[in-house]
Amino acid sequence: MARVIEVSREKFEELVSEALDTIPPDLTRAMSNVVVTVVDDPPEPHLLGLYTGVPLTERGDWYSAVLPDRIEIYRNPICQICDTEDDVIDEVRITVVHEVGHHFGIDDARLHELGW
């Protein structure tokens, strides 16, 4: 049986925060009406993160008084696929950047081409 890496929720939230800090300031300033949260388990198996909302590239004059977009980073599946805590750190960063990319309107195919 494979060993699951144990990372406390508090530590995992710190890793997500640190990953967000690696995003260039020009991009973080452009992020708008979005909240990033840590959730233990995904709504569907095998998801590591999920972006829900209206990407910046699709917002128009009609976009006002809406609930924030959500980026959820799933702690348990990330810990389950990693062999070491360093792997968790790397996977959290990849997942955070990937989901932030969706906020900017970048689709999965392009994100994978870019290595995210």
Side-chain angles (χ1 to χ4, degrees), residues 27-98:
L27 292 179
T28 56
R29 281 192 295 274
M31 291 174 68
S32 175
N33 199 31
V34 62
V35 62
V36 179
T37 61
V38 170
V39 177
D40 285 340
D41 296 303
E44 300 175 26
H46 310 295
L47 284 179
L48 303 180
L50 182 66
Y51 169 77
T52 306
V54 179
L56 294 175
T57 54
E58 295 178 18
R59 295 179 185 178
D61 294 339
W62 58 269
Y63 186 86
S64 66
V66 297
L67 292 174
D69 292 3
R70 290 182 57 85
I71 292 174
E72 294 179 341
I73 307 299
Y74 301 115
R75 184 172 69 95
N76 289 334
I78 288 176
C79 291
Q80 289 169 356
I81 66 165
C82 293
D83 294 323
T84 66
E85 194 166 322
D86 285 341
D87 290 345
V88 173
I89 292 166
D90 292 341
E91 192 58 54
V92 165
R93 181 161 189 272
I94 290 166
T95 304
V96 166
V97 170
H98 181 98

